[in-house]
Amino acid sequence: MGAPRLSPGRGAGAAGQRWWVLLAPLLPAMLLVRPAGALVEGLYCGTRDCYEVLGVSRSAGKAEIARAYRQLARRYHPDRYRPEPGDEGLGRTPQSAEEAFLLVATAYETLKDEETRKDYDYMLDHPEEYYSHYYHYYSRRLAPKVDVRIVILVSVCAISLFQFFSWWNSYNKAISYLATVPKYRIQATEIAKQQGLLKKAKEKGKNKKSKEEIRDEEENIIKNIIKSKIDIKGGYQKPQICDLLLFQIILAPFHLCSYIVWYCRWIYNFNIKGKEYGEEERLYIIRKSMKMSKSQFDSLEDHQKETFLKRELWIKENYEVYKQEQEEELKKKLANDPRWKRYRRWMKNEGPGRLTFVDD
């Protein structure tokens, strides 16, 4: 009996599969292979050597490079160019002279900066690192010309100025409104009369004032008294420098350290040693339970805070009872409110999801 023989088709298929298994891991590397030429189109001077464009050696200093650039720039400047009999290559026509001028300028921009020149020399010495050259070239070319820190600082200062003037405008609006409220206006007028400020505004003499000037001066006196006597809290309070964004950023490390120290003291005094809460700590727990910011809680009346302390709302069970009472009271108010009644009636009869047709 003869030895078994494989058909040619089956043998060729098996050999092809073996070659495919061997070549598969090498395909990504083969796809990433690029020509090893040092000069690449689109980078620096393209396929021209920047040193050859300026006619200098790689060891040339900044002064020699600048001198060669000035000579070539004067020669190929489009407005001053005059073709010479010995010109060859670039520079034979005005259009080619402009191209030569741009190439010379690109070569000078590449070689005058030390960091860019290092990247270019590295590209000449290591042409195989194709993608690295592209990265360094475009990372420097697309990098912002202005320091990012300066941009951030200017932006923060601009925001802080806008904050200050916006808050000051809101504060002046609040004072102007309070000056129109009879309760505060009468009190401020009485204080001004006691201090004799209104008499000074109405004094007669050589510099006699008109009625409008006297009225404006009296209005300013009343507003100044209201400013000095009243304490406005919340969104219309007097602006403070330390509340601006710039100072908040500057003081952020200090506030962070203060909070860490305060938190450690809280854990040590109340969780470990088991001390009783003081009035400040009790109000802090109540504010956190109500989910109010410090400015919102400070804007509450003193009698409200006293009520919170009397009812011992820093205890969770007491606060839950108080919260339920407030919700029930709110429901009663809404039930007796005619606007709320109209709204419920409309939701029941009409509603946003109903389609109605009006017959004329």
Side-chain angles (χ1 to χ4, degrees):
M1 294 178 63
R5 297 174 58 188
L6 293 175
S7 64
R10 291 178 60 186
Q17 289 179 357
R18 287 196 298 272
W19 278 107
W20 174 251
V21 171
L22 293 174
L23 290 176
L26 301 177
L27 281 178
M30 294 171 64
L31 292 173
L32 294 176
V33 171
R34 290 291 182 272
L39 304 176
V40 182
E41 189 67 39
L43 298 183
Y44 304 105
C45 298
T47 56
R48 298 285 302 275
D49 189 332
C50 293
Y51 291 102
E52 293 180 359
V53 170
L54 295 179
V56 296
S57 63
R58 289 186 60 173
S59 59
K62 286 187 176 181
E64 185 179 352
I65 291 173
R67 184 167 56 252
Y69 166 71
R70 287 193 294 269
Q71 292 176 356
L72 294 173
R74 283 195 299 267
R75 179 178 179 184
Y76 292 115
H77 196 283
D79 296 336
R80 302 177 57 184
Y81 175 71
R82 297 291 183 274
E84 298 179 3
D87 283 348
E88 295 182 359
L90 287 176
R92 289 180 294 179
T93 63
Q95 183 177 2
S96 61
E98 183 177 356
E99 295 175 358
F101 179 79
L102 294 175
L103 184 61
V104 169
T106 303
Y108 178 66
E109 290 293 329
T110 301
L111 300 181
K112 75 173 184 178
D113 183 68
E114 292 184 2
E115 297 298 326
T116 308
R117 186 176 179 179
K118 285 181 181 179
D119 291 343
Y120 183 70
D121 290 342
Y122 187 84
M123 185 186 77
L124 295 178
D125 297 333
H126 303 83
E128 69 280 357
E129 299 181 15
Y130 182 81
Y131 294 105
S132 175
H133 303 325
Y134 264 96
Y135 168 76
H136 288 294
Y137 175 76
Y138 283 105
S139 62
R140 291 193 183 279
R141 187 169 184 178
L142 300 177
K145 302 299 181 183
V146 183
D147 194 344
V148 177
R149 293 170 293 182
I150 297 176
V151 175
I152 294 174
L153 179 61
V154 172
S155 302
V156 170
C157 291
I159 294 172
S160 301
L161 285 174
F162 176 77
Q163 279 182 322
F164 182 78
F165 287 112
S166 176
W167 291 346
W168 192 261
N169 185 41
S170 300
Y171 176 71
N172 287 331
K173 284 183 178 179
I175 295 297
S176 299
Y177 169 74
L178 293 174
T180 61
V181 178
K183 175 184 174 181
Y184 301 112
R185 188 175 185 86
I186 292 171
Q187 293 180 7
T189 304
E190 291 296 328
I191 295 172
K193 288 179 179 179
Q194 292 174 6
Q195 297 178 357
L197 299 174
L198 295 180
K199 292 181 180 179
K200 294 179 181 179
K202 296 180 180 179
E203 284 180 353
K204 297 181 180 180
K206 295 181 180 179
N207 300 325
K208 187 177 179 180
K209 300 177 182 178
S210 64
K211 291 183 179 180
E212 293 182 358
E213 291 177 344
I214 294 173
R215 193 182 302 113
D216 292 340
E217 191 170 345
E218 289 178 352
E219 192 69 22
N220 290 330
I221 291 171
I222 292 173
K223 287 182 179 179
N224 290 331
I225 292 174
I226 292 175
K227 285 181 182 179
S228 61
K229 297 297 182 180
I230 200 166
D231 182 20
I232 302 176
K233 297 179 180 178
Y236 292 93
Q237 65 183 0
K238 190 174 182 179
Q240 303 291 333
I241 297 295
C242 59
D243 293 333
L244 298 178
L245 177 62
L246 177 62
F247 290 91
Q248 288 292 315
I249 294 174
I250 294 174
L251 297 175
F254 171 75
H255 291 317
L256 180 61
C257 294
S258 301
Y259 176 76
I260 293 173
V261 172
W262 172 86
Y263 186 75
C264 293
R265 285 180 179 175
W266 182 285
I267 296 295
Y268 176 74
N269 290 326
F270 304 115
N271 292 11
I272 298 176
K273 298 185 69 176
K275 288 185 177 180
E276 291 188 2
Y277 295 124
E279 182 177 335
E280 184 179 351
E281 289 78 14
R282 292 171 180 175
L283 290 174
Y284 172 78
I285 296 173
I286 294 170
R287 178 170 69 85
K288 286 298 181 182
S289 300
M290 293 182 173
K291 297 179 180 179
M292 298 174 67
S293 65
K294 190 175 185 303
S295 59
Q296 290 174 331
F297 194 78
D298 291 341
S299 62
L300 297 177
E301 298 292 339
D302 292 336
H303 67 85
Q304 291 178 289
K305 297 178 182 177
E306 291 175 3
T307 304
F308 297 158
L309 293 173
K310 286 180 181 178
R311 298 195 58 174
E312 299 183 352
L313 296 186
W314 65 88
I315 301 174
K316 187 176 180 181
E317 292 76 11
N318 296 344
Y319 175 74
E320 292 296 332
V321 174
Y322 171 80
K323 183 179 178 183
Q324 190 173 1
E325 291 176 359
Q326 293 296 312
E327 291 176 354
E328 293 294 333
E329 186 177 350
L330 179 61
K331 289 180 181 178
K332 290 179 181 179
K333 287 182 179 180
L334 291 175
N336 297 325
D337 188 359
R339 290 178 297 179
W340 177 248
K341 288 181 179 179
R342 287 196 300 269
Y343 174 73
R344 286 189 302 171
R345 194 180 304 117
W346 177 80
M347 288 292 293
K348 182 179 179 181
N349 298 329
E350 305 288 339
R354 294 176 181 268
L355 291 175
T356 58
F357 296 89
V358 179
D359 296 330
D360 296 333

